Amino acid sequence: MEAFGRQKCVVAVFRTDLVILLSVGTQLPFDRLIRAVDFWATENGRDDVIAQVGPTRYRPAAMRSFSHIPYDAFRQLQKDCAVMVCHAGMGSIITAMEFGKPIIVMPRNHQLGEHRNGHQFATLRQFGDRPGIYPAETEVDLFRLLDRVDELTAYPTLNEKAPAAFVDRLAAFVHKPPKPSLLKRIRGRLAGVPRDIA
């Protein structure tokens, strides 16, 4: 873990052989995904997997793993990797689309206690048909995709800079005076305050 404490060392230590970057986020454990990728890496003699494993008790055997990687170092790993494997978190999916990285996405299953609800399956349904996003709902799906990991492709589909029209609309929304709450408007009407003031 010390290697990530000094961000300048990250590129020198990991850049030359990094191929697969596994990420499960930092809030909840996702041992099913970590174990599956570690099993696959062990079975296939892969030593080119770096894993950000979050709060887990499982210690991978074949992957270099870290519970947390500082933002700048992690972003550099995302830029440098060949393929990303992750939970169905929006940040990972959007970053993969931005950098043009193929991404294998496995949603946390709330029925297995991996999350509070099934929103990650909804996220996968929303994004799973986009170029470069490879859905894996089960470990079997994951293994099939990992077996083809060197063939997976993607291209940048997002620009890191928002269009000017969007920025202008967003700025107008942010700087717009707040509209009085419904309760305040009702109170104003009951008190006889004209509509344009309430």
Side-chain angles (χ1 to χ4, degrees):
M1 192 153 170
E2 293 79 33
F4 285 104
R6 288 175 263 144
Q7 293 181 14
K8 292 180 181 176
C9 296
V10 173
V11 175
V13 173
F14 297 111
R15 185 176 213 153
T16 57
D17 63 348
L18 176 61
V19 174
I20 301 168
L21 176 63
L22 169 64
S23 170
V24 301
T26 58
Q27 296 179 3
L28 298 169
F30 194 6
D31 291 354
R32 186 168 57 99
L33 177 57
I34 298 165
R35 286 178 196 273
V37 175
D38 193 44
F39 174 81
W40 175 84
T42 301
E43 290 293 306
N44 290 279
R46 298 292 291 244
D47 62 357
D48 58 350
V49 182
I50 291 182
Q52 178 276 311
V53 297
T56 183
R57 293 175 190 239
Y58 177 72
R59 294 292 158 224
M63 303 183 296
R64 290 173 278 177
S65 65
F66 306 88
S67 60
H68 175 76
I69 301 172
Y71 176 80
D72 290 339
F74 189 68
R75 191 144 169 95
Q76 189 63 50
L77 290 171
Q78 290 173 309
K79 284 181 184 177
D80 292 343
C81 73
V83 175
M84 293 171 60
V85 179
C86 73
H87 66 123
M90 288 302 303
S92 296
I93 294 170
I94 289 170
T95 301
M97 293 170 71
E98 177 188 341
F99 292 152
K101 300 294 179 178
I103 184 168
I104 299 171
V105 181
M106 185 173 189
R108 295 175 189 270
N109 188 334
H110 68 288
Q111 294 174 336
L112 299 176
E114 295 169 343
H115 219 303
R116 294 174 288 280
N117 58 43
H119 77 276
Q120 289 205 350
F121 281 96
T123 299
L124 189 60
R125 281 192 298 277
Q126 185 69 30
F127 287 89
D129 63 346
R130 302 200 183 208
I133 299 177
Y134 299 88
E137 289 193 18
T138 67
E139 290 93 326
V140 172
D141 296 337
L142 178 66
F143 293 141
R144 285 185 187 138
L145 289 166
L146 287 170
D147 286 342
R148 300 180 27 228
V149 73
D150 296 325
E151 302 166 17
L152 303 181
T153 61
Y155 59 91
T157 55
L158 292 179
N159 189 327
E160 65 183 41
K161 296 185 181 185
F166 173 77
V167 173
D168 292 342
R169 283 196 332 253
L170 182 60
F173 176 77
V174 168
H175 297 295
K176 182 178 176 182
K179 196 175 187 180
S181 70
L182 178 59
L183 185 58
K184 188 174 180 180
R185 290 192 313 254
I186 291 171
R187 283 183 183 151
R189 288 186 191 144
L190 292 174
V193 177
R195 275 188 158 179
D196 56 338
I197 297 175

